[in-house]
Amino acid sequence: MIDEADIGFLVAPDEAPSKREIVRVALRLFVRDGLCAASLRDIAAASGYSSTVLYKFFESKDALARYLFERCYELVASRLGAAVRPDRDFRGNLRSLIEAAGRLLAAQPAAVLYTSELVRLMWPGAPERLRRHSIVHLLTGLFQQGVDEGVIEDAREIPYLIATLVGSFSQYAKLRTFGEFTGAPEEDAAVLGRIVERTITAARGGDVHRGHDA
């Protein structure tokens, strides 16, 4: 569920081993059992550390949940943001973003799922540094580029296109996390990416591959 070798997005390598294990276990339990069901006592027991050690780093379950949300959101937003460039056309940016999302799903599905499941609860209290990297803002700009280039016919479609893109990858992350997809994650993500590309460009009969390198 969580890549044991790559939890750098959760906690710095020089942090205490106890904190590293606590946040790794907390993300796993919050995703598996839900935020309400997983208690600090459960997290402490599963991590092998006492509640006293856990409270040394986090004053409450809400503080731990928000810490994890911010780290997971930053990971997702940074990977997607890096995929969209101002010197690339809409089709190129769309493909690049979907490929980045696929790689992220393959490597860290729990982070994607936790972000999508908690954003509605956590976003109102999110710090400004997180709000500056809004995923919805990024996608709105991307699809507006599609409108400006004539690939997307109507700007009123943008919220629905965002819902299609986010919903598809979020649902895949959920199904994969709970064992419904058992194939190679890179292959699954590639298939999902092609489906999303076709869905988004279908309205005008466009092919995201056509003219990509023209």
Side-chain angles (χ1 to χ4, degrees):
M1 185 183 298
I2 301 170
D3 188 340
E4 303 286 345
D6 183 17
I7 62 167
F9 71 97
L10 291 177
V11 62
D14 59 351
E15 292 275 13
S18 53
K19 183 176 181 179
R20 291 176 61 81
E21 183 63 7
I22 285 167
V23 298
R24 186 190 68 80
V25 168
L27 180 58
R28 176 171 61 84
L29 293 186
F30 283 155
V31 168
R32 188 191 71 184
D33 301 336
L35 193 58
C36 293
S39 68
L40 289 181
R41 182 177 297 177
D42 295 331
I43 294 166
S47 68
Y49 293 95
S50 68
S51 296
T52 302
V53 175
L54 191 154
Y55 281 115
K56 176 183 176 183
F57 303 112
F58 304 101
E59 63 182 16
S60 64
K61 186 168 79 169
D62 180 68
L64 174 55
R66 287 187 176 277
Y67 173 92
L68 289 173
F69 172 76
E70 290 180 16
R71 296 302 181 274
C72 289
Y73 193 97
E74 286 171 345
L75 174 71
V76 175
S78 64
R79 298 285 176 87
L80 298 184
V84 177
R85 297 194 334 226
D87 61 338
R88 186 187 284 140
D89 67 10
F90 167 71
R91 295 179 187 276
N93 272 328
L94 177 61
R95 176 185 288 183
S96 177
L97 182 133
I98 289 176
E99 288 174 349
R103 290 191 296 270
L104 189 56
L105 281 169
Q108 298 292 354
V112 176
L113 180 56
Y114 191 76
T115 298
S116 64
E117 293 286 292
L118 271 293
V119 67
R120 179 176 163 183
L121 176 66
M122 298 292 185
W123 192 251
E128 181 59 30
R129 63 178 173 77
L130 217 62
R131 290 177 172 276
R132 287 196 297 268
H133 301 285
S134 165
I135 294 170
V136 170
H137 181 74
L138 172 71
L139 295 178
T140 299
L142 172 63
F143 289 123
Q144 183 60 53
Q145 182 186 15
V147 173
D148 295 342
E149 294 180 12
V151 180
I152 297 171
E153 188 169 0
D154 191 338
R156 289 174 295 183
E157 297 175 4
I158 290 177
Y160 304 99
L161 294 172
I162 293 173
T164 296
L165 183 61
V166 172
S168 297
F169 282 102
S170 297
Q171 188 62 25
Y172 170 80
K174 180 181 294 186
L175 293 173
R176 178 153 199 97
T177 297
F178 294 105
E180 297 299 323
F181 284 87
T182 57
E186 294 83 359
E187 294 177 7
D188 287 345
V191 172
L192 177 60
R194 289 195 295 270
I195 293 170
V196 171
E197 286 178 359
R198 289 200 300 268
T199 301
I200 289 173
T201 59
R204 294 182 67 96
D207 179 355
V208 76
H209 299 275
R210 187 182 62 199
H212 175 65
D213 296 320

